[in-house]
Amino acid sequence: MKKVHYLSGIVISIFVFVHLSNHALSIFGPTRHIEFMHFLRIFYRNVLVETILLVAVVVQIFSGLKLVKVFKKTPLLFFQKIPIWSGIYLAIFLIIHVSAILVGRLVLKLDTNFYFGVAGLNSFPINLFFIPYYALAIISFFGHIAGIHFQKMKHTVFGFTVINQSKVILLFGIFLTMVILYGLTNHFEGVQIPEAYHVLIGK
């Protein structure tokens, strides 16, 4: 089960790193974000890759929940606990997020681009939910990686102990979260949502 979870995690992590890099480009504006997304879609917006990703998500969620049952009764350190708690949150997030994307594409017939993702982030009062919702997802992702790194890495690197390496990973995740939210809210000034996406925010 651990091996299956680990392998599906690698597949998802590759996509998430690319996806977050795309979001980080939003600090240069929506146009730059959308341009890079269209470039990336050449590689992942096809039946084969999307099927692999969807299967990996399902496997990751179910294998992760089974592993939670195994480890939750064992006394653990912080970086041993964080993969459990972050994994639970990521499982919930992935179910909601992937479902929303599929509904947006197949039911609402929307282009699930920059504006689809940021509609909730830039509309009061629902942004009071969506800002922490997305922030916790990104931090949980890096927290999960930090915890796995702590468990698997055995060596000091450039004078950094394993626990300090994990701290750096987690802190980087927090920093990247702030950068991404800064960009997705157009430098905290807000984004003008096109009329086609008003259905997402109840307008």
Side-chain angles (χ1 to χ4, degrees), residues 35-90:
E35 286 176 351
F36 189 56
M37 177 176 282
H38 282 311
F39 169 73
L40 293 176
R41 283 179 176 178
I42 297 172
F43 303 97
Y44 73 76
R45 186 61 76 87
N46 59 74
V47 174
L48 177 61
V49 176
E50 289 190 331
T51 300
I52 292 172
L53 285 171
L54 285 172
V55 170
V57 167
V58 173
V59 170
Q60 183 75 1
I61 291 171
F62 280 100
S63 61
L65 292 176
K66 285 194 173 290
L67 289 173
V68 166
K69 294 179 181 179
V70 173
F71 291 111
K72 69 179 181 179
K73 296 179 182 179
T74 308
L76 301 171
L77 300 172
F78 174 76
F79 278 108
Q80 293 172 314
K81 291 179 181 178
I82 197 170
I84 298 174
W85 296 113
S86 62
I88 292 172
Y89 184 82
L90 287 171

Side-chain angles (χ1 to χ4, degrees), residues 92-167:
I92 296 169
F93 176 84
L94 285 171
I95 291 170
I96 296 172
H97 192 63
V98 173
S99 298
I101 295 295
L102 292 176
V103 170
R105 285 172 57 180
L106 302 178
V107 178
L108 300 178
K109 305 299 182 182
L110 293 172
D111 183 355
T112 52
N113 60 15
F114 173 85
Y115 294 106
F116 183 87
V118 306
L121 285 172
N122 292 274
S123 303
F124 182 82
I126 59 174
N127 59 354
L128 298 178
F129 165 78
F130 279 104
I131 290 174
Y133 167 74
Y134 281 115
L136 282 173
I138 301 171
I139 293 171
S140 292
F141 173 71
F142 282 95
H144 207 69
I145 292 175
I148 300 303
H149 180 85
F150 177 80
Q151 294 177 37
K152 292 187 173 294
M153 190 70 176
K154 306 298 181 184
H155 305 291
T156 298
V157 177
F158 299 121
F160 282 89
T161 61
V162 173
I163 191 167
N164 284 333
Q165 293 167 35
S166 296
K167 287 177 181 177

